[in-house]
Amino acid sequence: MRILHVESNEDGTVGGSHRGLVDLVTSLDRTRFVPVVLFLQNNRHVDPLRDAGVEVHCWDDVRAQERQLRANGGLRKYFDFFGAIVRRASLIRLLRIDLVHLNNSLQTGYDDWLPAARLTRVPCITFAMGDAVIDSKLARFAGRRFDHVIAISTYMHDAVRAAGVREDRISLAHLGVDAPSLRSSVHTSRSGKRAELGVSESEVAIVMVGNIRSWKGQHVLVEALALLPPDVLATLQVRFVGAESAVDHDYRRSLDARIAAIGAGDRIRFLGGRNDVPELFAASDIAVHASVIPEPFGLVVPEAMVHGLPVIASRFGGPGEVLTPACGRTFDPARPEELAAHLSELVGNATLRRSLGDESRRHVEAFSVRAMVDRIQQTYDKVLSRA
């Protein structure tokens, strides 16, 4: 059965939804399912997926044309609304798709991919990966018309159910990590990578991975650092890892200004988007996750745990389902003082960091790619048999 996986992000960044898609399509049972991937925007995962034998399409040109038509306004934008549905239906027929799997949320694709699937009599399912607040009446109405919704956390499961989706049309499949693959991708020694990052062996390296945008909460960590005693701050090196889109430039400038104001410019660096995140985790001592809006899952949390890092993360949303007190700490992102207290506790206690890190390695095995894929394949079987 040919499954069309549609990733709708097109803001120039690559995040957890891309990673989850890659892990899924490269792990499907190819004797039963043939993955076909459509990215609305070209990205660094395209070539590796093609090298792995996955059929991949990119719609940069199509989306540019669609945006132009809608920008023209007037009646043309309404004609293009129907044109978008026809284009998607034509692609479904052309690629001989048996099931459409949208990779983002109930609020993405309900107005084009879902009606296109209905036109072609192909079932359409979606991940619940995005914002849990579904305030659009149209999105709530259309969301109940998906053949199935796969929630990536209990937090998202509850949000989908609150939006009115029937319980028998929802399943839970936590995102997973391929621990052996992540560990084997570390080719640089810990000391070598720390030297590259400008971190000495006597300093405590804190890493925060996530695209630079306000809701990801980089400012929460900066404010927590401002609350640390000077002697504690002097032992730290902090690295922010993540790309920034054009709309986030003002936020980045505000971070730079605040860092300068607290006199921490020699302690903090922004590394931009990186392809060596596993090596960065392996070279660090503590991972921080501080999203101010609850994360649907927060894939970087188990990814950090794979490398034996204690994680300090928001207690809300998906991270609170992954972490236990034995492998990390949770806090309220609205209270940077809580994060500062956890940092002070871990920075000054290497033995505690090792203990939490050892438990992280053990506990993360419960969040494997294999478990995720098995649950999703069961959903495919259920939906296709019903169709």
Side-chain angles (χ1 to χ4, degrees):
M1 308 298 280
R2 291 173 61 82
I3 314 296
L4 178 63
H5 303 262
V6 181
E7 168 55 53
S8 297
N9 183 69
E10 48 184 340
D11 66 0
T13 61
V14 175
S17 66
H18 293 79
R19 182 71 259 170
L21 183 150
V22 170
D23 287 338
L24 171 61
V25 301
T26 55
S27 302
L28 286 173
D29 180 354
R30 296 292 186 89
T31 67
R32 300 166 57 206
F33 305 107
V34 177
V36 180
V37 175
L38 174 66
F39 291 114
L40 298 192
Q41 185 176 66
N42 204 336
N43 62 83
R44 60 184 172 83
H45 290 299
V46 171
D47 289 338
L49 280 174
R50 286 174 174 162
D51 291 342
V54 177
E55 181 180 342
V56 181
H57 303 266
C58 296
W59 257 19
D60 299 74
D61 293 342
V62 172
R63 289 296 295 145
Q65 293 169 5
E66 291 182 344
R67 284 191 294 270
Q68 183 60 49
L69 286 170
R70 293 183 183 182
N72 290 335
L75 290 175
R76 292 192 66 176
K77 70 178 181 180
Y78 295 104
F79 283 115
D80 185 64
F81 174 78
F82 295 104
I85 296 173
V86 172
R87 273 188 290 278
R88 285 152 180 77
S90 297
L91 185 72
I92 291 170
R93 292 191 181 99
L94 177 67
L95 299 180
R96 297 176 288 108
I97 298 303
D98 297 294
L99 183 148
V100 175
H101 183 173
L102 306 183
N103 197 52
N104 302 95
S105 75
L106 265 72
Q107 301 182 85
T108 304
Y110 70 84
D111 56 348
D112 46 26
W113 286 104
L114 179 58
R118 288 289 175 268
L119 276 178
T120 56
R121 297 187 177 184
V122 169
C124 183
I125 70 174
T126 184
F127 269 133
M129 268 192 196
D131 192 348
V133 179
I134 306 172
D135 49 13
S136 163
K137 291 183 179 180
L138 179 58
R140 292 171 72 94
F141 173 81
R144 295 193 289 269
R145 271 66 193 170
F146 282 105
D147 292 274
H148 203 86
V149 179
I150 302 175
I152 61 171
S153 62
T154 302
Y155 168 72
M156 290 306 302
H157 181 283
D158 294 344
V160 171
R161 186 168 54 188
V165 179
R166 286 167 31 192
E167 183 70 35
D168 65 332
R169 294 291 177 95
I170 313 171
S171 59
L172 173 64
H174 286 106
L175 292 185
V177 290
D178 185 346
S181 176
L182 288 174
R183 291 175 184 136
S184 67
S185 65
V186 176
H187 303 295
T188 305
S189 68
R190 174 181 168 87
S191 59
K193 181 59 71 170
R194 287 171 76 93
E196 175 190 323
L197 296 173
V199 180
S200 71
E201 290 301 321
S202 62
E203 292 174 310
V204 176
I206 298 173
V207 63
M208 183 173 178
V209 177
N211 292 320
I212 308 301
R213 48 187 51 146
S214 59
W215 78 270
K216 286 292 188 180
Q218 284 85 4
H219 63 281
V220 178
L221 177 52
V222 173
E223 292 304 322
L225 296 173
L227 297 173
L228 295 177
D231 60 324
V232 175
L233 182 60
T235 67
L236 300 181
Q237 286 290 340
V238 179
R239 299 295 179 261
F240 289 107
V241 183
E244 63 181 87
S245 63
V247 298
D248 300 307
H249 289 337
D250 288 344
Y251 177 61
R252 169 62 193 277
R253 283 194 288 270
S254 72
L255 292 173
D256 291 337
R258 182 58 177 148
I259 291 167
I262 67 175
D266 61 336
R267 301 277 131 198
I268 302 172
R269 291 185 191 172
F270 290 83
L271 304 183
R274 301 280 292 231
N275 294 326
D276 59 346
V277 170
E279 292 192 339
L280 297 176
F281 279 139
S284 301
D285 300 295
I286 301 169
V288 172
H289 180 283
S291 295
V292 298
I293 297 174
E295 283 272 7
F297 183 73
L299 194 59
V300 296
V301 172
E303 286 179 346
M305 295 166 67
V306 164
H307 300 283
L309 284 186
V311 181
I312 308 175
S314 167
R315 69 171 60 100
F316 307 116
E321 299 175 33
V322 179
L323 284 178
T324 70
C327 56
R329 298 289 185 265
T330 60
F331 71 101
D332 182 348
R335 298 176 59 85
E337 63 271 23
E338 290 186 14
L339 174 55
H342 291 319
L343 287 172
S344 294
E345 176 192 25
L346 295 186
V347 168
N349 193 333
T351 301
L352 177 59
R353 294 200 303 269
R354 284 193 294 272
S355 173
L356 295 175
D358 290 342
E359 180 58 28
S360 285
R361 283 194 185 91
R362 290 190 290 269
H363 182 65
V364 77
E365 298 300 328
F367 298 91
S368 68
V369 167
R370 186 69 265 155
M372 173 190 74
V373 172
D374 286 346
R375 293 189 185 102
I376 292 173
Q377 290 186 153
Q378 290 169 10
T379 297
Y380 289 168
D381 288 334
K382 178 180 179 180
V383 172
L384 287 167
S385 64
R386 189 169 61 217

